[in-house]
Amino acid sequence: MFALTLTAELAGVTNLRPNDTEDSPFWYTFKVQCTSCRETHPNQVAVSRFENNEMSGSRGEANFVWKCKNCKRESSATIKAAPTPYEQSEPAKPRKILEFDCRGLEFTEFIPEGEWLVDGTDSNTKFTGVELTEGEWFDYDEKANDEVSIKELKWEINRA
């Protein structure tokens, strides 16, 4: 079992989370490595918690099924539950966002592509379409008359 953890400086906002619903699934993007031959796949892979794929040999289903091009071993990964929103704290603390079960593969890096959501701390303004690929995000909260931001993003994948 592995966990994706985030540490970030949130100013004026809280409840950072991916826009991840059944109608609008979030595709979690990772770099992947085979645990058998240690080959790192050159392309990024995307995983949705709402998509299930058959594993060969009728071994069930997983959100992500992958065959290593180097050693030909089939591996799988399954996201265990909905993502946990990251709440603002002083100082910024690492928090578990997502938990996944990997069999025969390891996600080595998370790429925060896709649409994220965040709420104003005092105003409860709903910010949508938040992009985190640049490593930071800035906006203005009209209700609070203040600048809001997400900075110093640090993503880690650890054993849960």
PDB file of all heavy atoms in Angstrom, residues 11 17 20 27 29 42 44 46 51 57 62 64 68 74-75 82-83 93 95 98 104 107 117 129 136 140 145 148:
ATOM      1  N   ALA A  11      -2.479  30.089   1.166  1.00  0.00           N
ATOM      2  CA  ALA A  11      -2.772  31.408   1.731  1.00  0.00           C
ATOM      3  C   ALA A  11      -4.179  31.819   1.315  1.00  0.00           C
ATOM      4  O   ALA A  11      -4.459  31.991   0.127  1.00  0.00           O
ATOM      5  CB  ALA A  11      -1.753  32.432   1.246  1.00  0.00           C
ATOM      6  N   ARG A  17      -8.205  19.948  -3.507  1.00  0.00           N
ATOM      7  CA  ARG A  17      -8.524  18.588  -3.915  1.00  0.00           C
ATOM      8  C   ARG A  17      -8.672  18.536  -5.429  1.00  0.00           C
ATOM      9  O   ARG A  17      -9.006  19.535  -6.060  1.00  0.00           O
ATOM     10  CB  ARG A  17      -9.807  18.118  -3.245  1.00  0.00           C
ATOM     11  CG  ARG A  17     -11.042  18.907  -3.697  1.00  0.00           C
ATOM     12  CD  ARG A  17     -12.045  19.107  -2.579  1.00  0.00           C
ATOM     13  NE  ARG A  17     -13.194  19.910  -3.001  1.00  0.00           N
ATOM     14  CZ  ARG A  17     -13.261  21.229  -2.886  1.00  0.00           C
ATOM     15  NH1 ARG A  17     -12.253  21.926  -2.410  1.00  0.00           N
ATOM     16  NH2 ARG A  17     -14.348  21.884  -3.264  1.00  0.00           N
ATOM     17  N   ASP A  20     -12.663  15.377  -8.907  1.00  0.00           N
ATOM     18  CA  ASP A  20     -12.719  13.944  -9.158  1.00  0.00           C
ATOM     19  C   ASP A  20     -14.094  13.382  -8.818  1.00  0.00           C
ATOM     20  O   ASP A  20     -14.344  12.975  -7.686  1.00  0.00           O
ATOM     21  CB  ASP A  20     -11.628  13.243  -8.344  1.00  0.00           C
ATOM     22  CG  ASP A  20     -11.433  11.792  -8.742  1.00  0.00           C
ATOM     23  OD1 ASP A  20     -11.979  11.364  -9.773  1.00  0.00           O
ATOM     24  OD2 ASP A  20     -10.721  11.079  -8.010  1.00  0.00           O
ATOM     25  N   TRP A  27      -7.729  12.275 -13.757  1.00  0.00           N
ATOM     26  CA  TRP A  27      -6.727  11.297 -14.176  1.00  0.00           C
ATOM     27  C   TRP A  27      -5.435  11.606 -13.446  1.00  0.00           C
ATOM     28  O   TRP A  27      -4.784  12.611 -13.747  1.00  0.00           O
ATOM     29  CB  TRP A  27      -6.560  11.319 -15.693  1.00  0.00           C
ATOM     30  CG  TRP A  27      -7.770  10.732 -16.362  1.00  0.00           C
ATOM     31  CD1 TRP A  27      -8.912  11.386 -16.717  1.00  0.00           C
ATOM     32  CD2 TRP A  27      -7.979   9.359 -16.702  1.00  0.00           C
ATOM     33  NE1 TRP A  27      -9.810  10.505 -17.250  1.00  0.00           N
ATOM     34  CE2 TRP A  27      -9.268   9.257 -17.261  1.00  0.00           C
ATOM     35  CE3 TRP A  27      -7.189   8.209 -16.588  1.00  0.00           C
ATOM     36  CZ2 TRP A  27      -9.800   8.050 -17.709  1.00  0.00           C
ATOM     37  CZ3 TRP A  27      -7.721   7.006 -17.037  1.00  0.00           C
ATOM     38  CH2 TRP A  27      -9.003   6.936 -17.585  1.00  0.00           C
ATOM     39  N   THR A  29      -1.746  11.406 -12.770  1.00  0.00           N
ATOM     40  CA  THR A  29      -0.640  11.161 -13.692  1.00  0.00           C
ATOM     41  C   THR A  29       0.628  10.841 -12.915  1.00  0.00           C
ATOM     42  O   THR A  29       1.014  11.590 -12.012  1.00  0.00           O
ATOM     43  CB  THR A  29      -0.428  12.383 -14.604  1.00  0.00           C
ATOM     44  OG1 THR A  29      -1.680  12.712 -15.214  1.00  0.00           O
ATOM     45  CG2 THR A  29       0.604  12.107 -15.677  1.00  0.00           C
ATOM     46  N   PRO A  42       9.285   5.182 -19.927  1.00  0.00           N
ATOM     47  CA  PRO A  42       9.631   6.538 -20.378  1.00  0.00           C
ATOM     48  C   PRO A  42       8.440   7.494 -20.428  1.00  0.00           C
ATOM     49  O   PRO A  42       8.615   8.706 -20.295  1.00  0.00           O
ATOM     50  CB  PRO A  42      10.196   6.312 -21.784  1.00  0.00           C
ATOM     51  CG  PRO A  42       9.643   5.003 -22.235  1.00  0.00           C
ATOM     52  CD  PRO A  42       9.435   4.193 -20.991  1.00  0.00           C
ATOM     53  N   GLN A  44       4.615   9.007 -19.127  1.00  0.00           N
ATOM     54  CA  GLN A  44       3.765   9.128 -17.951  1.00  0.00           C
ATOM     55  C   GLN A  44       2.521   8.281 -18.175  1.00  0.00           C
ATOM     56  O   GLN A  44       2.115   8.039 -19.307  1.00  0.00           O
ATOM     57  CB  GLN A  44       3.365  10.587 -17.759  1.00  0.00           C
ATOM     58  CG  GLN A  44       4.536  11.501 -17.534  1.00  0.00           C
ATOM     59  CD  GLN A  44       4.147  12.963 -17.639  1.00  0.00           C
ATOM     60  OE1 GLN A  44       3.026  13.308 -17.968  1.00  0.00           O
ATOM     61  NE2 GLN A  44       5.094  13.833 -17.367  1.00  0.00           N
ATOM     62  N   ALA A  46      -1.642   7.606 -16.775  1.00  0.00           N
ATOM     63  CA  ALA A  46      -2.758   8.260 -16.094  1.00  0.00           C
ATOM     64  C   ALA A  46      -3.709   7.189 -15.565  1.00  0.00           C
ATOM     65  O   ALA A  46      -4.002   6.208 -16.247  1.00  0.00           O
ATOM     66  CB  ALA A  46      -3.481   9.194 -17.041  1.00  0.00           C
ATOM     67  N   GLU A  51     -12.203   3.952 -13.443  1.00  0.00           N
ATOM     68  CA  GLU A  51     -12.011   3.029 -14.556  1.00  0.00           C
ATOM     69  C   GLU A  51     -11.454   1.710 -14.041  1.00  0.00           C
ATOM     70  O   GLU A  51     -10.486   1.689 -13.295  1.00  0.00           O
ATOM     71  CB  GLU A  51     -11.039   3.631 -15.570  1.00  0.00           C
ATOM     72  CG  GLU A  51     -10.834   2.753 -16.774  1.00  0.00           C
ATOM     73  CD  GLU A  51      -9.949   3.400 -17.821  1.00  0.00           C
ATOM     74  OE1 GLU A  51     -10.444   4.252 -18.564  1.00  0.00           O
ATOM     75  OE2 GLU A  51      -8.756   3.040 -17.873  1.00  0.00           O
ATOM     76  N   GLY A  57      -5.584 -13.635 -17.157  1.00  0.00           N
ATOM     77  CA  GLY A  57      -5.701 -14.828 -16.326  1.00  0.00           C
ATOM     78  C   GLY A  57      -6.858 -14.732 -15.352  1.00  0.00           C
ATOM     79  O   GLY A  57      -6.841 -15.368 -14.303  1.00  0.00           O
ATOM     80  N   ALA A  62      -8.463  -3.965 -11.909  1.00  0.00           N
ATOM     81  CA  ALA A  62      -7.688  -2.917 -11.250  1.00  0.00           C
ATOM     82  C   ALA A  62      -7.907  -1.614 -12.015  1.00  0.00           C
ATOM     83  O   ALA A  62      -8.289  -1.636 -13.189  1.00  0.00           O
ATOM     84  CB  ALA A  62      -6.203  -3.278 -11.234  1.00  0.00           C
ATOM     85  N   PHE A  64      -5.615   0.339 -12.941  1.00  0.00           N
ATOM     86  CA  PHE A  64      -4.528   0.461 -13.903  1.00  0.00           C
ATOM     87  C   PHE A  64      -3.858  -0.894 -14.067  1.00  0.00           C
ATOM     88  O   PHE A  64      -3.446  -1.500 -13.075  1.00  0.00           O
ATOM     89  CB  PHE A  64      -3.515   1.506 -13.393  1.00  0.00           C
ATOM     90  CG  PHE A  64      -2.304   1.669 -14.251  1.00  0.00           C
ATOM     91  CD1 PHE A  64      -2.392   2.202 -15.529  1.00  0.00           C
ATOM     92  CD2 PHE A  64      -1.050   1.291 -13.785  1.00  0.00           C
ATOM     93  CE1 PHE A  64      -1.264   2.355 -16.328  1.00  0.00           C
ATOM     94  CE2 PHE A  64       0.088   1.450 -14.563  1.00  0.00           C
ATOM     95  CZ  PHE A  64      -0.022   1.983 -15.838  1.00  0.00           C
ATOM     96  N   CYS A  68       5.064  -4.470 -18.475  1.00  0.00           N
ATOM     97  CA  CYS A  68       6.409  -3.910 -18.650  1.00  0.00           C
ATOM     98  C   CYS A  68       6.944  -4.310 -20.028  1.00  0.00           C
ATOM     99  O   CYS A  68       6.939  -5.490 -20.382  1.00  0.00           O
ATOM    100  CB  CYS A  68       7.331  -4.419 -17.545  1.00  0.00           C
ATOM    101  SG  CYS A  68       9.034  -3.846 -17.705  1.00  0.00           S
ATOM    102  N   GLU A  74       3.102  -8.472 -16.102  1.00  0.00           N
ATOM    103  CA  GLU A  74       1.905  -7.649 -15.927  1.00  0.00           C
ATOM    104  C   GLU A  74       1.803  -7.179 -14.479  1.00  0.00           C
ATOM    105  O   GLU A  74       2.011  -7.958 -13.551  1.00  0.00           O
ATOM    106  CB  GLU A  74       0.644  -8.427 -16.309  1.00  0.00           C
ATOM    107  CG  GLU A  74      -0.596  -7.549 -16.287  1.00  0.00           C
ATOM    108  CD  GLU A  74      -1.850  -8.284 -16.704  1.00  0.00           C
ATOM    109  OE1 GLU A  74      -2.467  -8.938 -15.839  1.00  0.00           O
ATOM    110  OE2 GLU A  74      -2.199  -8.200 -17.887  1.00  0.00           O
ATOM    111  N   SER A  75       1.480  -5.913 -14.302  1.00  0.00           N
ATOM    112  CA  SER A  75       1.362  -5.312 -12.977  1.00  0.00           C
ATOM    113  C   SER A  75       0.059  -4.529 -12.909  1.00  0.00           C
ATOM    114  O   SER A  75      -0.555  -4.236 -13.933  1.00  0.00           O
ATOM    115  CB  SER A  75       2.534  -4.372 -12.723  1.00  0.00           C
ATOM    116  OG  SER A  75       3.754  -5.031 -12.930  1.00  0.00           O
ATOM    117  N   ALA A  82     -11.642   7.749  -2.310  1.00  0.00           N
ATOM    118  CA  ALA A  82     -11.674   9.121  -2.833  1.00  0.00           C
ATOM    119  C   ALA A  82     -10.522   9.928  -2.229  1.00  0.00           C
ATOM    120  O   ALA A  82     -10.066   9.627  -1.117  1.00  0.00           O
ATOM    121  CB  ALA A  82     -13.009   9.775  -2.493  1.00  0.00           C
ATOM    122  N   PRO A  83     -10.034  10.937  -2.934  1.00  0.00           N
ATOM    123  CA  PRO A  83      -8.937  11.740  -2.402  1.00  0.00           C
ATOM    124  C   PRO A  83      -9.361  12.524  -1.152  1.00  0.00           C
ATOM    125  O   PRO A  83     -10.516  12.907  -1.015  1.00  0.00           O
ATOM    126  CB  PRO A  83      -8.592  12.693  -3.551  1.00  0.00           C
ATOM    127  CG  PRO A  83      -9.820  12.741  -4.394  1.00  0.00           C
ATOM    128  CD  PRO A  83     -10.491  11.408  -4.240  1.00  0.00           C
ATOM    129  N   LYS A  93       2.051  21.181   6.639  1.00  0.00           N
ATOM    130  CA  LYS A  93       2.367  19.815   7.085  1.00  0.00           C
ATOM    131  C   LYS A  93       2.071  18.831   5.962  1.00  0.00           C
ATOM    132  O   LYS A  93       1.126  19.017   5.209  1.00  0.00           O
ATOM    133  CB  LYS A  93       1.492  19.451   8.288  1.00  0.00           C
ATOM    134  CG  LYS A  93       1.786  20.227   9.538  1.00  0.00           C
ATOM    135  CD  LYS A  93       0.960  19.674  10.688  1.00  0.00           C
ATOM    136  CE  LYS A  93       1.264  20.394  11.969  1.00  0.00           C
ATOM    137  NZ  LYS A  93       0.304  21.429  12.326  1.00  0.00           N
ATOM    138  N   ARG A  95       0.385  15.846   4.228  1.00  0.00           N
ATOM    139  CA  ARG A  95      -0.884  15.161   4.452  1.00  0.00           C
ATOM    140  C   ARG A  95      -1.127  14.156   3.347  1.00  0.00           C
ATOM    141  O   ARG A  95      -0.835  14.412   2.187  1.00  0.00           O
ATOM    142  CB  ARG A  95      -2.041  16.165   4.458  1.00  0.00           C
ATOM    143  CG  ARG A  95      -1.981  17.136   5.599  1.00  0.00           C
ATOM    144  CD  ARG A  95      -3.313  17.188   6.324  1.00  0.00           C
ATOM    145  NE  ARG A  95      -3.189  17.878   7.593  1.00  0.00           N
ATOM    146  CZ  ARG A  95      -3.208  19.187   7.739  1.00  0.00           C
ATOM    147  NH1 ARG A  95      -3.327  19.957   6.703  1.00  0.00           N
ATOM    148  NH2 ARG A  95      -3.105  19.725   8.932  1.00  0.00           N
ATOM    149  N   LEU A  98      -4.004  10.607  -1.250  1.00  0.00           N
ATOM    150  CA  LEU A  98      -4.520   9.454  -1.972  1.00  0.00           C
ATOM    151  C   LEU A  98      -3.785   8.198  -1.531  1.00  0.00           C
ATOM    152  O   LEU A  98      -2.589   8.249  -1.258  1.00  0.00           O
ATOM    153  CB  LEU A  98      -4.279   9.683  -3.471  1.00  0.00           C
ATOM    154  CG  LEU A  98      -5.057   8.859  -4.465  1.00  0.00           C
ATOM    155  CD1 LEU A  98      -6.550   9.174  -4.371  1.00  0.00           C
ATOM    156  CD2 LEU A  98      -4.567   9.148  -5.872  1.00  0.00           C
ATOM    157  N   GLY A 104       3.464  -5.224  -8.338  1.00  0.00           N
ATOM    158  CA  GLY A 104       4.451  -5.395  -9.403  1.00  0.00           C
ATOM    159  C   GLY A 104       4.932  -4.102 -10.036  1.00  0.00           C
ATOM    160  O   GLY A 104       5.732  -4.126 -10.958  1.00  0.00           O
ATOM    161  N   PHE A 107       4.737   3.672  -8.387  1.00  0.00           N
ATOM    162  CA  PHE A 107       4.640   5.014  -8.925  1.00  0.00           C
ATOM    163  C   PHE A 107       5.792   5.792  -8.297  1.00  0.00           C
ATOM    164  O   PHE A 107       5.920   5.853  -7.078  1.00  0.00           O
ATOM    165  CB  PHE A 107       3.298   5.653  -8.578  1.00  0.00           C
ATOM    166  CG  PHE A 107       2.126   5.005  -9.271  1.00  0.00           C
ATOM    167  CD1 PHE A 107       0.976   4.697  -8.562  1.00  0.00           C
ATOM    168  CD2 PHE A 107       2.163   4.715 -10.619  1.00  0.00           C
ATOM    169  CE1 PHE A 107      -0.122   4.115  -9.196  1.00  0.00           C
ATOM    170  CE2 PHE A 107       1.082   4.128 -11.258  1.00  0.00           C
ATOM    171  CZ  PHE A 107      -0.056   3.830 -10.542  1.00  0.00           C
ATOM    172  N   LEU A 117      -9.645  21.868  -7.254  1.00  0.00           N
ATOM    173  CA  LEU A 117     -10.614  22.759  -6.621  1.00  0.00           C
ATOM    174  C   LEU A 117     -10.060  23.209  -5.279  1.00  0.00           C
ATOM    175  O   LEU A 117      -9.297  22.481  -4.641  1.00  0.00           O
ATOM    176  CB  LEU A 117     -11.941  22.019  -6.383  1.00  0.00           C
ATOM    177  CG  LEU A 117     -12.564  21.310  -7.583  1.00  0.00           C
ATOM    178  CD1 LEU A 117     -13.740  20.448  -7.129  1.00  0.00           C
ATOM    179  CD2 LEU A 117     -13.002  22.307  -8.630  1.00  0.00           C
ATOM    180  N   GLY A 129     -11.030  25.040 -11.642  1.00  0.00           N
ATOM    181  CA  GLY A 129     -10.059  25.155 -12.730  1.00  0.00           C
ATOM    182  C   GLY A 129      -8.665  25.519 -12.265  1.00  0.00           C
ATOM    183  O   GLY A 129      -7.886  26.114 -13.002  1.00  0.00           O
ATOM    184  N   GLU A 136       2.758  26.368  -8.554  1.00  0.00           N
ATOM    185  CA  GLU A 136       2.140  27.404  -7.726  1.00  0.00           C
ATOM    186  C   GLU A 136       0.904  27.936  -8.436  1.00  0.00           C
ATOM    187  O   GLU A 136       0.734  27.749  -9.648  1.00  0.00           O
ATOM    188  CB  GLU A 136       3.122  28.543  -7.429  1.00  0.00           C
ATOM    189  CG  GLU A 136       3.711  29.198  -8.659  1.00  0.00           C
ATOM    190  CD  GLU A 136       4.820  30.189  -8.340  1.00  0.00           C
ATOM    191  OE1 GLU A 136       5.368  30.148  -7.228  1.00  0.00           O
ATOM    192  OE2 GLU A 136       5.115  30.998  -9.227  1.00  0.00           O
ATOM    193  N   TYR A 140      -7.388  36.002  -6.942  1.00  0.00           N
ATOM    194  CA  TYR A 140      -7.890  37.044  -6.050  1.00  0.00           C
ATOM    195  C   TYR A 140      -9.275  36.647  -5.584  1.00  0.00           C
ATOM    196  O   TYR A 140     -10.129  36.270  -6.390  1.00  0.00           O
ATOM    197  CB  TYR A 140      -7.935  38.398  -6.779  1.00  0.00           C
ATOM    198  CG  TYR A 140      -8.189  39.550  -5.854  1.00  0.00           C
ATOM    199  CD1 TYR A 140      -7.165  40.085  -5.074  1.00  0.00           C
ATOM    200  CD2 TYR A 140      -9.464  40.093  -5.728  1.00  0.00           C
ATOM    201  CE1 TYR A 140      -7.394  41.137  -4.198  1.00  0.00           C
ATOM    202  CE2 TYR A 140      -9.707  41.148  -4.861  1.00  0.00           C
ATOM    203  CZ  TYR A 140      -8.668  41.664  -4.098  1.00  0.00           C
ATOM    204  OH  TYR A 140      -8.904  42.696  -3.228  1.00  0.00           O
ATOM    205  N   ASN A 145     -11.586  40.251  -0.479  1.00  0.00           N
ATOM    206  CA  ASN A 145     -10.730  41.368  -0.905  1.00  0.00           C
ATOM    207  C   ASN A 145      -9.258  41.093  -0.622  1.00  0.00           C
ATOM    208  O   ASN A 145      -8.559  41.939  -0.060  1.00  0.00           O
ATOM    209  CB  ASN A 145     -11.146  42.683  -0.212  1.00  0.00           C
ATOM    210  CG  ASN A 145     -12.378  43.275  -0.842  1.00  0.00           C
ATOM    211  OD1 ASN A 145     -12.659  43.025  -2.010  1.00  0.00           O
ATOM    212  ND2 ASN A 145     -13.116  44.057  -0.072  1.00  0.00           N
ATOM    213  N   VAL A 148      -5.097  35.207  -2.952  1.00  0.00           N
ATOM    214  CA  VAL A 148      -5.011  33.843  -2.439  1.00  0.00           C
ATOM    215  C   VAL A 148      -3.960  33.104  -3.257  1.00  0.00           C
ATOM    216  O   VAL A 148      -3.713  33.446  -4.416  1.00  0.00           O
ATOM    217  CB  VAL A 148      -6.378  33.115  -2.492  1.00  0.00           C
ATOM    218  CG1 VAL A 148      -7.365  33.735  -1.526  1.00  0.00           C
ATOM    219  CG2 VAL A 148      -6.945  33.110  -3.903  1.00  0.00           C
TER     220      VAL A 148
END
